[in-house]
Amino acid sequence: MNPAVPDKIYRFADFSISRAQQILLKESERIPISTKLYHLLLALVENAGRVLSKDELIDAAWPGQIVTDGTLSRAVTRLRQLIGDRDVSNPIIETHRGMGYRFALPVQVEERDPAPEQENRPEKPLTSPVARRAGWIIGALLLMAVSAYYLQKKNTDHPGQAQASMAVNLAVFATPQQQDWLNQGGKAFLVDELRKHPLIHAVLPQTEGNGEDDPELLAIRLSADSGIDYSCLISLEKLPDAYNARLKLRDENGVLASTEIQAKDLTELLQASSRWISTKLDVHDKLTQAVFVNSGSSDEYALRSYFQGIYEIETGGDLKRARDFFEAAVNKDPEFRHAWSRLATTLLDLGLFDKAIAIANTQLAQNREIEPILRIRFNKILADAWYRLRDEGKAQQALARAIKAINETDDPFVRLEGLDALIFQSGLKKEYEASEKYTRQAIEISKHYLPLPNKLASLYKKLGITQRLQRKLVSAMSNLQKAIELYTKSGNNNGLISSYCQMNIIRNSLDRIDEIVQSSILTKTLLENSDDLYSKACLMQFTGVALNLRGHFALSDEYSIALKKMASETGNEFFMLLSGALRMHRYYVQNQIKKSAEEIEKLAALLKNQATLPSVRMAFSSLDILVSSRVDPVEIAQKKIDDYLEHHPEAMEDPPTALNISRALGHIAVRSGRVKEGLELLREAEKGHREIIEISVANYIGMEILEILLAHPELEYKDTLARLDKEIGYYYLFFKLKAGFLAREGDYRQAALLMEENKLKANELWTGEDQLLLESYRQSIQHKHEISQLD
């Protein structure tokens, strides 16, 4: 019998840990701790004040095993969460990059007599000696095989490069029902694909003769005992015209994600499976580093649900599913304020503004001493909700409270949350240079401390929006493209839709209409799989405008109907406004101005019944004034402009609105017989829109000028036509006007050719009147030919 060894108790803060027994106490409460975390914490407290190398810590927690630095990093993160180490600026466990970790708190050591030996003995053996020996041998052989694989990879992978510090170990299994040649060969090919990723160490464990018939049980055992971080179970099936893969990714605590992928080609299927696994692992690994440090709950179930909710969002999952996870977290731990904040944010994204406001107000009222990061976040949620509910005053008040909560701090997570509030506020105040500065700062912090694809994508999207508003369109498109790539990587449909909407706004400004139409095929699929109503509405609106300009009215009408349905289902009249605006635009493009005016009247009735942001009302009034200038008696149209400017003199400080009023005044002047004055006003409006890079609007005003010149043969038109010919690509109206000028000069052949080309491109814009016009040009050609024959 070995002599009893005295126990040592290490005390720090409110915690104590026993050397002789695997016990961690917080005051008198016992805290469950796994064997690995216990040995890791013990090594740190026994060497408090000294930097322990990664190898020393791995030897303490995983003796005799080959473990990646990423496994150690994740264990340290969980340990920090366990002991409440959440102050990033003053951590209990310090990270010394390239060296290791240091326990920073003072530790008191107390020696105690050993506990009686029999107290630690089990009452009877759990298994027979033979079974224990056999299980030990099988386990040892399996661990040796895995360890040998990693040793080999360490010596052969990426020669001349240091091993990636955050690499993860992944085991790939075929499900027990699928052990045929397809699955055996398929999983081997998949492992080879995964090994191309510099941060994934993929292994193909032998599933036979290891004491486990179920690969999923073996995956759990490997995760618990051998340094395997993740496991993927794959099931391949040959369908009549395709291959199908079912994938399930898990760690020792549960299933992280599952999916089903189909492809006609097996290689393509396995490569797509590899990309899916790589993306999920990348996001999960980065989330593990950030979330557990800043979570605020000691309840394992609540914490797990919270993590799953964030993982669902960051990997482009279902917002409603994420909501369910967050609800589970707060139901289990009602004091879990970080989970409440995530739940409110998710409800906000689902368009449930009242519920988001209720949660934010309740949390702020109940927790007067709430930590700064949450005070900022809940007030930012209120600001966003009130802004979307068209109450800019309340939004500004909430933002002011959020920004007041930002004190001088070195905590990068508080800084990041605060910068988000500052970005929002400066955007509302139209201080776009400041907004751009704050966004760039947030990107740099996120790259270092929260490098999640969705987080970075949202910041690049904000940067693109801010640059768009400053007319830095090339830079804006570049940053929006970065956002699209990151959202694609994470599979976030909602983020993609929002980014494509912003991209389409810029394309519309630059008159790159065909690019929008081409992208509508992709974005239509995204729209079908999104639950972010506002991003969907934005994308449908700007895509619908492009579809109208190219005569795809059936597709545009689909979006208009979808917006109307969204309004009916949610009770939100804002979507009805967008639906009506799209129809109004369609009629304007078709030159059915009276129908356009009828739609404007319907929109006016809607606006009377709802609170609307000033910017929305200004945009509506601008459309109303323009349409009125084309169809209403000139006295009524003029009075509408005068009344609007009397009540809203600030409108002339908004360049697009001021230019649109100039455009309307030009049409009124022409209709009043002051043609030259009207043309001058229209030219000023066209020039102004070009200066603020609203090329699409400028080109359309140019075509309106040509319409007037075509109707007044006494006016010179050639310089204007030549100039616009360099500016404008294809437009149905432009081709029709050019043909009209050619016909006026007697060149019916070229006029007919131009109209024939127009017919091929105009889609539903082509009318019966256009056909008759084309036929008249052909008849004129024939008539001229007959006259020439007589001569």
Side-chain angles (χ1 to χ4, degrees), residues 353 387-391 534 567 570-578 602-614 616-617 620:
F353 306 133
Y387 182 78
R388 297 196 199 191
L389 288 170
R390 316 301 165 204
D391 193 328
Y534 276 82
T570 63
N572 191 332
E573 295 290 349
F574 179 67
F575 299 135
M576 189 68 80
L577 282 172
L578 295 181
K602 295 176 186 176
L603 295 178
L606 282 174
L607 280 168
K608 287 180 182 177
N609 299 325
Q610 75 160 201
T612 306
L613 288 173
V616 175
R617 287 191 173 275
F620 164 78

Side-chain angles (χ1 to χ4, degrees), residues 287-298:
L287 270 178
T288 304
Q289 309 308 310
V291 172
F292 284 102
V293 176
N294 300 282
S295 59
S297 177
S298 58

Side-chain angles (χ1 to χ4, degrees), residues 529-726:
N529 298 294
S530 172
D531 46 18
D532 184 343
L533 298 183
Y534 276 82
S535 293
K536 287 174 70 171
C538 171
L539 183 59
M540 286 191 283
Q541 172 73 8
F542 284 95
T543 305
V545 166
L547 292 170
N548 283 339
L549 291 171
R550 290 296 180 262
H552 297 291
F553 298 130
L555 294 174
S556 176
D557 286 347
E558 286 181 18
Y559 289 147
S560 182
I561 292 167
L563 286 164
K564 188 176 180 180
K565 183 179 178 183
M566 284 165 56
S568 174
E569 291 175 348
T570 63
N572 191 332
E573 295 290 349
F574 179 67
F575 299 135
M576 189 68 80
L577 282 172
L578 295 181
S579 175
L582 200 51
R583 288 194 303 275
M584 185 279 299
H585 180 262
R586 169 190 171 164
Y587 293 132
Y588 193 91
V589 169
Q590 290 177 293
N591 207 29
Q592 298 181 27
I593 311 298
K594 286 186 178 180
K595 283 190 175 182
S596 195
E598 291 170 4
E599 290 296 332
I600 287 281
E601 287 181 15
K602 295 176 186 176
L603 295 178
L606 282 174
L607 280 168
K608 287 180 182 177
N609 299 325
Q610 75 160 201
T612 306
L613 288 173
S615 58
V616 175
R617 287 191 173 275
M618 188 179 290
F620 164 78
S621 298
S622 185
L623 291 173
D624 186 20
I625 286 168
L626 174 61
V627 172
S628 176
S629 72
R630 302 288 303 273
V631 294
D632 287 341
V634 292
E635 298 82 5
I636 293 175
Q638 183 67 53
K639 187 174 185 306
K640 186 170 284 189
I641 294 174
D642 295 340
D643 289 348
Y644 180 72
L645 292 178
E646 181 181 348
H647 292 94
H648 302 282
E650 74 281 359
M652 295 306 288
E653 297 174 11
D654 178 61
T657 303
L659 291 169
N660 203 60
I661 288 173
S662 177
R663 178 183 180 182
L665 289 170
H667 283 297
I668 291 172
V670 170
R671 293 176 62 212
S672 299
R674 307 188 313 274
V675 178
K676 290 185 178 180
E677 178 189 337
L679 286 170
E680 190 59 33
L681 286 166
L682 286 166
R683 288 188 179 107
E684 287 177 9
E686 181 201 344
K687 181 183 177 183
H689 279 289
R690 292 197 190 282
E691 288 173 352
I692 62 173
I693 321 180
E694 289 191 345
I695 308 302
S696 180
V697 178
N699 286 342
Y700 216 88
I701 296 172
M703 288 184 279
E704 291 174 356
I705 291 170
L706 287 177
E707 277 188 296
I708 296 166
L709 292 174
L710 187 61
H712 292 81
E714 73 280 6
L715 298 176
E716 196 280 328
Y717 73 90
K718 291 184 179 178
D719 289 345
T720 302
L721 181 59
R723 176 177 60 80
L724 291 172
D725 215 6
K726 295 176 182 177

Side-chain angles (χ1 to χ4, degrees), residues 101-164:
Y101 299 89
R102 173 181 175 271
F103 196 84
L105 286 184
V107 175
Q108 296 177 339
V109 184
E110 174 187 329
E111 292 204 9
R112 287 187 179 178
D113 292 333
E117 188 178 355
Q118 65 270 21
E119 289 183 11
N120 292 323
R121 287 182 179 170
E123 294 181 6
K124 59 181 180 180
L126 299 178
T127 57
S128 69
V130 173
R132 285 201 305 274
R133 190 179 303 114
W136 181 88
I137 291 171
I138 290 169
L141 288 172
L142 191 59
L143 297 185
M144 285 170 63
V146 173
S147 298
Y149 169 76
Y150 289 124
L151 279 171
Q152 180 188 13
K153 278 197 71 63
K154 201 166 186 176
N155 293 327
T156 59
D157 279 9
H158 314 294
Q161 299 180 24
Q163 191 178 23

Side-chain angles (χ1 to χ4, degrees), residues 10-15 45 48-49 92 102-109:
Y10 298 90
R11 300 186 186 280
F12 58 93
D14 298 331
F15 292 90
V45 297
I92 297 173
R102 173 181 175 271
F103 196 84
L105 286 184
V107 175
Q108 296 177 339
V109 184

Side-chain angles (χ1 to χ4, degrees), residues 86 294-296 337-338 367 369-376:
R86 300 186 181 91
N294 300 282
S295 59
R337 294 191 291 273
H338 282 269
N367 300 283
E369 302 302 319
I370 195 169
E371 55 200 282
I373 191 169
L374 289 174
R375 186 171 297 281
I376 295 167

